[in-house]
Amino acid sequence: MATVRIPTPLRSLTGGEESVQASGANVRALIDDLESNHPGIKDRLLDDKGVRRFVNIYVGEEDIRFLDGLDTPLQGNEEISIVPAIAGGL
Amino acid sequence: MTPRFVRSRQLGSIVDAVGNTPLLRLRRIASSAPDVEVFAKLEFMNPGGSVKDRPALRMMLDAIESGQLTTDKILIDATSGNTGVAYSMLGAALGYRVHLVMPKNVTKARKDITQAYGTEIIYSDPMEGSDGAIRLVRKIVQENPDKYFYPDQYSNPSNPLAHYLGTGQEILDAVGDRITHFVAGLGTSGTVMGTTRRLHEHTRPIHCVAAEPAEALHGLEGLKHMASSIVPEIYDPNLPDEIMPIATEAGWDMAERVAAEEGLNIGHSGGANIAAAVALAERAQREQGGGCVVTIIPDRGDRYFAPMKWEKRYTW
């Protein structure tokens, strides 16, 4: 199982948890697994073109945009981070 | 038109260049509402490059006058963005030290701008966004209350006051009785609160709208989804006549369109504001057959950068 770090605005979907466990052979499958346990989260992360433009998904310290995107393979022990592309501004 | 719009004036300090920004008619972007005038106030023409010069200056001047900000204190606040640039510029110009708390995932460019003015940065957890930075600055100030002046832009009445005295009045000076609608995005809510208060005092009714990100996880930097955020103390939800949700994609797409069609390279919050202004203009065209909509362009697009390859490794 991989550990997925959840940003504050999405914790309403994870019962307030900062990180949750999920599994999948690649990032796409991992997000499907997340969706089955935390319904609604997939639409927050993906649109019909893939990862939404303002969402960053990291495997370890690498943005999946610079790996194989949603097809980035997972061994199962990684730390996945969902990070908003912005830091809030203001 | 008052002489205050002349920009070739001689100034004694960079501080005097804050405010009195021009109002620009947007024609092409609002062609779907041909009988409605749409204007945008060009806040990127403030010397720090954004609308935040206004509240930052008002908060600092009011604190200097009341004795809360003295030269032996450090100004500290939670800001990953334009307010930090404004404090840094004004701190350098007025002679005050500045520390800023920001989430670690702020772009390098943003860190570099503030540091160029001599500002020191303290980092908060990137997963917790701007609310994490707010929590950290409160803790730092609580541990050393005498060392710091904490303007707290989310709670400081001088923030909306800057827009009541400045932005709102300047809009009336420029368009007078023609204005029928005003719209701006909610961040600290200072722009919406202060400007709306001034416009509601006008002799004719002006419909004032607060635009808000449609979702909790969004990409409209500088704006806040109130239902899922620490709600700013200065925010009064009953003041705006209407709250309008704006999708991130609508704001981003509009920012690209106004660059190509109007020659304005603006930030995403400006894109969201213009998207909201065009929606209001179309409604006014449909229901009233005309009108005048005013909105705000908080900053320029070159202040934002897409994730760059050389920034692909973050260390946190």
Side-chain angles (χ1 to χ4, degrees):
Chain A
M1 295 287 259
T3 302
V4 184
R5 298 179 67 198
I6 306 293
T8 314
L10 292 183
R11 288 180 196 161
S12 58
L13 298 172
T14 60
E17 292 295 320
E18 290 175 26
S19 68
V20 297
Q21 301 292 310
S23 61
N26 56 32
V27 175
R28 192 189 310 274
L30 176 114
I31 292 172
D32 285 334
D33 187 44
L34 270 181
E35 173 69 16
S36 62
N37 290 314
H38 309 285
I41 199 164
K42 188 176 177 178
D43 279 352
R44 305 272 85 83
L45 305 178
L46 309 181
D47 58 22
D48 49 11
K49 292 186 215 93
V51 181
R52 292 174 82 183
R53 287 178 281 173
F54 54 94
V55 175
N56 296 332
I57 299 176
Y58 292 86
V59 173
E61 287 181 2
E62 294 247 28
D63 187 331
I64 63 166
R65 285 191 181 87
F66 304 118
L67 299 168
D68 291 322
L70 290 170
D71 297 321
T72 302
L74 300 173
Q75 307 298 324
N77 52 356
E78 290 92 343
E79 184 174 74
I80 317 292
S81 303
I82 300 164
V83 183
I86 57 156
L90 298 167
Chain B
M1 194 73 65
T2 55
R4 61 169 69 183
F5 288 94
V6 176
R7 291 194 69 85
S8 57
R9 62 205 193 276
Q10 187 181 317
L11 302 173
S13 161
I14 191 70
V15 167
D16 299 332
V18 176
N20 294 320
T21 53
L23 202 59
L24 177 74
R25 175 88 189 263
L26 302 178
R27 291 178 190 277
R28 297 198 185 100
I29 219 76
S31 56
S32 52
D35 301 311
V36 181
E37 295 178 289
V38 175
F39 287 97
K41 200 156 169 58
L42 306 185
E43 290 301 306
F44 56 75
M45 292 184 75
N46 283 299
S50 88
V51 66
K52 291 298 190 173
D53 286 4
R54 293 176 184 271
L57 178 61
R58 186 82 257 154
M59 289 188 288
M60 289 175 76
L61 292 180
D62 289 353
I64 291 166
E65 200 184 307
S66 70
Q68 284 178 282
L69 176 57
T70 53
T71 46
D72 58 347
K73 284 198 177 174
I74 298 167
L75 186 157
I76 190 168
D77 212 337
T79 161
S80 57
N82 289 319
T83 312
V85 177
Y87 286 141
S88 300
M89 172 194 71
L90 298 168
L94 297 169
Y96 295 91
R97 290 170 67 198
V98 177
H99 288 185
L100 300 176
V101 181
M102 52 180 82
K104 206 170 176 184
N105 54 335
V106 171
T107 60
K108 182 175 181 299
R110 197 62 72 83
K111 296 166 192 163
D112 290 347
I113 300 170
T114 51
Q115 283 172 331
Y117 292 108
T119 288
E120 203 175 296
I121 302 176
I122 301 154
Y123 294 111
S124 60
D125 187 339
M127 302 297 281
E128 294 183 14
S130 56
D131 284 355
I134 296 173
R135 283 189 283 268
L136 181 58
V137 76
R138 286 179 182 168
K139 181 167 165 277
I140 291 170
V141 173
Q142 205 171 21
E143 286 166 1
N144 264 308
D146 296 335
K147 188 174 165 188
Y148 297 105
F149 165 62
Y150 174 35
D152 187 5
Q153 57 169 340
Y154 298 92
S155 312
N156 192 326
S158 300
N159 171 358
L161 183 64
H163 296 287
Y164 176 87
L165 297 172
T167 318
Q169 185 58 50
E170 291 168 28
I171 289 170
L172 291 174
D173 287 347
V175 291
D177 279 342
R178 298 214 303 285
I179 180 172
T180 55
H181 296 74
F182 170 74
V183 61
L186 290 173
T188 67
S189 78
T191 305
V192 172
M193 292 295 115
T195 307
T196 297
R197 271 190 200 110
R198 180 65 193 88
L199 296 180
H200 275 172
E201 284 175 4
H202 192 59
T203 45
R204 289 178 48 194
I206 300 168
H207 188 75
C208 295
V209 178
E212 171 179 57
E215 297 174 63
L217 181 66
H218 66 87
L220 297 170
E221 181 153 354
L223 302 190
K224 249 179 191 287
H225 178 257
M226 287 297 175
S228 62
S229 306
I230 298 178
V231 177
E233 224 172 272
I234 58 172
Y235 178 56
D236 174 1
N238 298 314
L239 189 59
D241 299 303
E242 180 181 345
I243 310 270
M244 182 183 282
I246 300 290
T248 295
E249 287 82 356
W252 285 34
D253 291 345
M254 184 57 88
E256 281 177 23
R257 262 189 75 194
V258 291
E261 295 180 29
E262 302 276 0
L264 282 169
N265 176 17
I266 64 173
H268 293 140
S269 60
N273 284 353
I274 293 175
V278 170
L280 284 172
E282 288 170 350
R283 192 205 290 169
Q285 175 77 40
R286 216 165 42 237
E287 294 175 2
Q288 284 126 42
C292 171
V293 182
V294 175
T295 191
I296 302 282
I297 296 179
D299 65 4
R300 244 195 259 280
D302 50 19
R303 190 147 277 180
Y304 303 91
F305 299 90
M308 298 290 179
K309 287 212 171 188
W310 58 84
E311 285 192 308
K312 73 174 180 173
R313 284 181 186 280
Y314 286 80
T315 45
W316 61 53

